[in-house]
Amino acid sequence: MSKKNIKLMQGNEACVEAALMAGMKFFAGYPITPSTELAELSAEKLPRIGGKFIQMEDEIAGIAAAIGGSIAGLKSMTATSGPGFSLKQENIGYAAIAEIPLVIVNVMRGGPSTGLPTSPAQGDVMQAKWGTHGDHAIIALSPQSVMETFDITIKAFNLAEKYRTPVIVLTDEVVGHMREKIEIPEPGDIEIFDRKVPGPGEDYLPYRLEEGDIVPKMAPFGAGYRYHITGLFHDETGFPSNSTDNADIMLKRMISKIEDNREDIVMYDEFMMEDAEYAIISYGSTARTVRNAVKTLREQGMKVGLFRPITIWPSAEKEIKAVGRQVKKIIVAEMNMGQYVQEIERIVKSDAEVFHLGRANGEVLMPIEVVQKAKEVF
Amino acid sequence: MSKQTQIRLAGSGGQGMIMAGVILAEAAILDDKIAIQSQSYGPEARGGASKAEVIISSEEIDFPKVIEPDLVLSLTQEATEKYGGSVKAEGLLIIDEDIVLPEGFNQSRVIKVPILRTAKENVGRAIVANIVAVGFIAEFTQLVSRESVEKAVLGRVPKGTEPMNKKALSEGYALAQSVK
């Protein structure tokens, strides 16, 4: 009876399946197209496994409740799209400074504002990094398929727990809504990471980093430990501190816990890059358009390859730099007017010439457009 | 690329064209093929012309959307006018019997089939027209096995409606055999 568990599923459905397998016990949010299936399915499935779903009055309260759930010790998720992602920004910053593990799914649609509710876009890439104010590090992952949505969601929960940080699953309407084959692994076959908690009776300081740990241990709120959480800079006790020395230490630790662990966090994929003289960099559903175009260009004798960042933030700096050194020219293809191309230009510098191919009118990029752009600039 | 078949199913919102697309894609996966199903979301999801798309392939599908369908099936006049012309020149356009082919259509392969009437008269419910359409496509194209289509239909339709939908599927198969 080792029949594989193969299903036809939407990206959004796969995200919920993965979240449950990763240990999600709490979902709070406010439904918005094209992310609504995430709320619907969480509402249906969480109560059956002893979890909780709550629909809040708006997106702000949705993330606030999810933060609360996580502080209480439950793996928590919220999901949204463009306008709701804007509303969640303040609390993403709160989760970052208070170091609360949390998964935020943003199924990107056309913006700004209410924009194009039912159409795909990749216009929230920079917002995922800098949407909340102040210096901070963030993790954002972008899947190109239903199967990868599953894998990435598991990874998102693991990274959130491991690094005590909000993690953004940055998917788009195309991947969220399309149905595709998925093979759901056996629970025993996937690696699940749970946050480290203090032992009973331990002399506990909620923000004290102990030897051998990446982040301070996190006691579930209400479990008997003296505990304070604030969005203000705080010392090891969790109580506010105005000390500039303390702020310096804390901020650097919060950023370096992610930046220094790129090896563990950064995922990427390459297609026909071995002998490539030209590269196209693309992510999410657009990378599938590019993969198709790369095959066409190869048939026509052009040495073109695809580099696909799966981890958008922190960026695959080392690998992208290597691509820049390998090829003469790079096209960055994305469903926006020019966002991740700025990150690529920053990394590649003068090693390669960088071009942009993008659009934000709600239509996906077509393979023929990528082929034409490549022929024009390569 | 030639190993791909791109299908567009069109009708009015509520006719269950998305469900039909989901069933075809699921049947293909049960047959160990690769398939992707997508749809247009929006106001047309309630009335108006709506469409569902399926790609069935023997190899990995990169670009997930239908560009030039090999087959378009349309159940309404409005949907035919909107999506009928998208079928590729050597492709196949299947339309319900009462639809008047819009002027300027030069598709060489157009089949008129009484899908809605079959659902209404032979099964007794117009609502199963989508399942009749699934049976018709499955038999006519031989893209998916009957066993898998049946399994997909029974797995997706509401509880209690299985016998009616099974009948609708058989009617679709019979319809395809009669025009082949």
Side-chain angles (χ1 to χ4, degrees), chain A residues 136-180:
Chain A
H136 63 282
I138 197 87
I139 298 174
L141 314 172
S142 191
Q144 68 160 0
S145 67
V146 173
M147 187 70 235
E148 200 167 81
T149 303
F150 185 95
D151 295 338
I152 269 180
T153 304
I154 300 269
K155 179 92 175 175
F157 273 93
N158 285 346
L159 292 174
E161 295 286 312
K162 192 169 179 182
Y163 297 104
R164 285 192 63 173
T165 179
V167 176
I168 296 160
V169 175
L170 201 57
T171 181
D172 58 65
E173 191 277 336
V174 174
V175 173
H177 277 160
M178 73 182 184
R179 289 184 177 82
E180 204 174 22

Side-chain angles (χ1 to χ4, degrees), chain A residues 130-342:
Chain A
W130 293 122
T132 196
H133 59 277
D135 287 285
H136 63 282
I138 197 87
I139 298 174
L141 314 172
S142 191
Q144 68 160 0
S145 67
V146 173
M147 187 70 235
E148 200 167 81
T149 303
F150 185 95
D151 295 338
I152 269 180
T153 304
I154 300 269
K155 179 92 175 175
F157 273 93
N158 285 346
L159 292 174
E161 295 286 312
K162 192 169 179 182
Y163 297 104
R164 285 192 63 173
T165 179
V167 176
I168 296 160
V169 175
L170 201 57
T171 181
D172 58 65
E173 191 277 336
V174 174
V175 173
H177 277 160
M178 73 182 184
R179 289 184 177 82
E180 204 174 22
K181 183 169 112 173
I182 174 177
E183 188 184 332
I184 297 183
E186 290 297 317
D189 290 341
I190 52 172
E191 192 192 353
I192 302 293
F193 193 95
D194 296 323
R195 68 190 69 171
K196 285 190 175 180
V197 295
E202 235 171 67
D203 178 24
Y204 178 61
L205 287 173
Y207 291 95
R208 181 177 62 195
L209 183 66
E210 289 171 22
E211 187 98 10
D213 285 348
I214 305 166
V215 292
K217 290 188 176 65
M218 188 170 171
F221 210 74
Y225 297 93
R226 184 173 155 81
Y227 203 158
H228 188 264
I229 301 173
T230 173
L232 292 164
F233 272 94
H234 42 269
D235 60 21
E236 292 182 338
T237 65
F239 285 91
S241 162
N242 270 335
S243 154
T244 52
D245 285 347
N246 175 69
D248 195 52
I249 291 166
M250 212 192 127
L251 187 62
K252 282 177 176 161
R253 180 179 64 71
M254 272 169 38
I255 292 174
S256 68
K257 72 181 177 184
I258 290 171
E259 298 291 338
D260 292 355
N261 287 295
R262 280 175 189 255
E263 295 285 317
D264 182 39
I265 298 166
V266 165
M267 297 175 287
Y268 64 95
D269 187 25
E270 290 180 322
F271 178 64
M272 294 196 163
M273 278 301 297
E274 298 82 15
D275 63 340
E277 290 169 9
Y278 306 98
I280 305 176
I281 298 181
S282 192
Y283 51 88
S285 67
T286 309
R288 299 175 71 129
T289 303
V290 172
R291 194 179 161 97
N292 184 296
V294 165
K295 285 179 185 170
T296 305
L297 290 162
R298 281 278 174 173
E299 278 166 17
Q300 296 174 10
M302 286 179 79
K303 290 194 170 174
V304 183
L306 162 68
F307 182 89
R308 180 171 71 91
I310 300 171
T311 305
I312 303 294
W313 305 113
S315 51
E317 199 148 345
K318 194 177 79 190
E319 294 78 10
I320 291 166
K321 196 153 192 59
V323 170
R325 288 191 176 135
Q326 180 188 332
V327 302
K328 298 173 205 150
K329 292 176 180 179
I330 295 170
I331 294 171
V332 180
E334 48 185 347
M335 274 187 283
N336 58 51
M337 300 303 280
Q339 295 198 14
Y340 209 55
V341 65
Q342 294 175 28

Side-chain angles (χ1 to χ4, degrees), chain A residues 104-125:
Chain A
I104 302 131
V105 184
N106 176 13
V107 188
M108 290 185 282
R109 71 185 216 186
S113 188
T114 35
L116 293 161
T118 59
S119 302
Q122 295 176 312
D124 308 345
V125 172

Side-chain angles (χ1 to χ4, degrees), chain A residues 3 6-10 13 33 37 118 173-174 177-182 285 288-289 291-292 295-296 364-367, chain B residues 1 4 18 21-23 25-26 29 32-39 41-43 60-67 156:
Chain A
K3 183 95 179 95
I6 288 170
K7 292 211 159 105
L8 180 77
M9 223 178 241
Q10 287 187 309
E13 291 178 79
T33 302
E37 294 83 7
T118 59
E173 191 277 336
V174 174
H177 277 160
M178 73 182 184
R179 289 184 177 82
E180 204 174 22
K181 183 169 112 173
I182 174 177
S285 67
R288 299 175 71 129
T289 303
R291 194 179 161 97
N292 184 296
K295 285 179 185 170
T296 305
V364 299
L365 283 173
M366 304 295 280
Chain B
M1 210 74 79
Q4 267 195 18
I18 292 175
V22 171
I23 288 167
E26 192 150 71
I29 280 165
D32 232 4
K33 290 183 175 169
I34 310 289
I36 287 189
Q37 187 276 326
S38 63
Q39 60 256 313
Y41 277 81
E60 288 299 324
I61 301 165
D62 296 325
F63 187 66
K65 299 280 184 182
V66 165
I67 299 175
R156 290 275 174 179

